Amino acid sequence: MLEEVERWLSTRSWSATERPLHQILAAKQRTGRTVSVVLPALNEEETVGDIAAVIRHDLMRQVPLVDELVVVDSGSTDRTSEVAAAAGATVVHRDEILPRIPAVPGKGEVLWRSLLVTSGDIVCFIDADLRDFSSDFVSGIVGPLLTDPDIDLVKGMYDRPLGGTAGQGGRVTELMARPLLNMHWPQLAGFVQPLGGEYAARRSLLEQLPFPVGYGVELGMLVDSLHLVGLDALAQVDIGVRKHRHQDGQALGRMAAAIYRTAQLRLARGHLIRPSLTQFERGGDGFEPRTYSVDTEERPPMVDIAEYQARKAA
């Protein structure tokens, strides 16, 4: 590990308990910074309501930490929108945001568009499939951004159990993202959960970043933030244990391909390998190939979008 990373781990890695809620609130009142929480959601009716309800109760009613709670529904066919609204979240449908640019499927697409329907100085992203959710997830990762003006982005770090076994979640992280970061961006080797969906950043940073439309968004955001603001502006906070729905091996393969593609685009903008992935499923006549395109599209920095510029000027 680089000496720079060892130093970073000792100065930019914290536990959520190191910043008590009263200290975070005092910093918020002193700085006047506002906080938006965004939940990107696709068919998450079983969990999105509980997450929204906890945030509303703990961080909006009991204490005024979160100013805005928005669920961006990216085309759910279940009751995600109704459940989220009943829990007190503002629900916005992906296709209604920036309609002149047709939406494409993908998590990054939703996060990018969320910048147009939120107003907080700090934007906190929380995945909508979490179980046993604690509001410490939000306060823990928002805390450093309110108390330390030199921090621009904070990732959550946590244990990810799989099937009752501790530490076995995050398979794409260990098999794809971590090797990529260690080999090509060793300054980022200290991040425990580089692909984690729980993180917060200053709007002033997010609006300058391109957003891969799919699963590569988290890796792309880390790499681009490193180049834009430097390692010492990035941090991570231990927020305990993350329990969520796990995907099957083939879905993880497609996720890994998208992440590799995101890395590839950042390593070389010239000649690129065919952006598709072939997997195999057993059918009536043996193993049958299934080929999937790997999302390659990226949205430009939001600050370049005319509608966003107009909203900021208003």
Side-chain angles (χ1 to χ4, degrees), residues 188-261:
L188 297 174
F191 278 94
V192 175
Q193 296 291 352
L195 301 184
E198 288 67 49
Y199 50 97
R202 299 191 191 280
R203 177 176 295 273
S204 56
L205 170 62
L206 292 172
E207 67 185 12
Q208 297 182 68
L209 299 176
F211 276 61
V213 298
Y215 286 121
V217 63
E218 274 84 23
L219 183 134
M221 190 176 294
L222 266 187
V223 170
D224 294 339
S225 295
L226 174 67
H227 289 300
L228 193 62
V229 297
L231 182 61
D232 282 341
L234 314 180
Q236 60 184 351
V237 171
D238 187 346
I239 50 178
V241 179
R242 183 187 195 270
K243 298 179 182 178
H244 66 114
R245 182 187 66 252
H246 292 280
Q247 301 193 54
D248 62 34
Q250 292 208 331
L252 294 178
R254 296 190 289 275
M255 183 185 300
I259 290 164
Y260 178 77
R261 176 65 167 174

Side-chain angles (χ1 to χ4, degrees), residues 2-274:
L2 297 176
E3 289 186 10
E4 180 182 7
V5 176
E6 292 183 355
R7 178 192 55 77
W8 179 85
L9 281 169
S10 67
T11 61
R12 290 293 186 265
S13 294
W14 301 292
S15 167
T17 59
E18 293 184 53
R19 288 177 176 80
L21 191 55
H22 68 84
Q23 178 184 346
I24 298 171
L25 285 170
K28 183 178 191 290
Q29 293 169 355
R30 183 174 64 252
T31 62
R33 300 295 185 189
T34 54
V35 177
S36 298
V37 176
V38 173
L39 277 63
L42 176 63
N43 294 328
E44 304 294 356
E45 67 176 0
E46 294 184 7
T47 51
V48 68
D50 290 341
I51 298 170
V54 168
I55 295 171
R56 284 280 298 176
H57 177 268
D58 292 2
L59 302 179
M60 298 180 82
R61 290 178 182 152
Q62 285 200 330
V63 298
L65 179 64
V66 173
D67 301 281
E68 187 176 43
L69 173 59
V70 177
V71 171
V72 183
D73 191 330
S74 58
S76 298
T77 56
D78 65 2
R79 297 181 61 254
T80 290
S81 291
E82 293 86 344
V83 170
T90 298
V91 178
V92 184
H93 294 273
R94 176 199 62 194
D95 296 351
E96 297 173 356
I97 307 170
L98 200 61
R100 72 171 176 86
I101 300 178
V104 297
K107 179 183 179 183
E109 177 83 353
V110 174
L111 300 185
W112 181 71
R113 289 175 186 264
S114 75
L115 297 181
L116 262 170
V117 293
T118 55
S119 59
D121 302 307
I122 294 167
V123 182
C124 175
F125 298 117
I126 300 289
D127 280 350
D129 65 343
L130 302 185
R131 301 182 184 278
D132 301 331
F133 176 77
S134 167
S135 59
D136 290 344
F137 274 39
V138 174
S139 58
I141 57 181
V142 165
L145 292 161
L146 289 169
T147 60
D148 190 335
D150 295 327
I151 302 297
D152 286 323
L153 183 147
V154 179
K155 295 282 292 190
M157 57 177 168
Y158 32 67
D159 296 314
R160 296 182 68 180
L162 176 64
T165 303
Q168 294 302 305
R171 291 161 287 174
V172 174
T173 294
E174 300 304 328
L175 297 175
M176 176 59 70
R178 199 175 308 286
L180 278 172
L181 292 175
N182 276 264
M183 295 301 105
H184 298 294
W185 297 282
Q187 287 178 294
L188 297 174
F191 278 94
V192 175
Q193 296 291 352
L195 301 184
E198 288 67 49
Y199 50 97
R202 299 191 191 280
R203 177 176 295 273
S204 56
L205 170 62
L206 292 172
E207 67 185 12
Q208 297 182 68
L209 299 176
F211 276 61
V213 298
Y215 286 121
V217 63
E218 274 84 23
L219 183 134
M221 190 176 294
L222 266 187
V223 170
D224 294 339
S225 295
L226 174 67
H227 289 300
L228 193 62
V229 297
L231 182 61
D232 282 341
L234 314 180
Q236 60 184 351
V237 171
D238 187 346
I239 50 178
V241 179
R242 183 187 195 270
K243 298 179 182 178
H244 66 114
R245 182 187 66 252
H246 292 280
Q247 301 193 54
D248 62 34
Q250 292 208 331
L252 294 178
R254 296 190 289 275
M255 183 185 300
I259 290 164
Y260 178 77
R261 176 65 167 174
T262 299
Q264 183 189 49
L265 286 169
R266 279 150 180 78
L267 288 168
R269 297 286 176 174
H271 176 70
L272 296 174
I273 299 171
R274 177 176 67 104

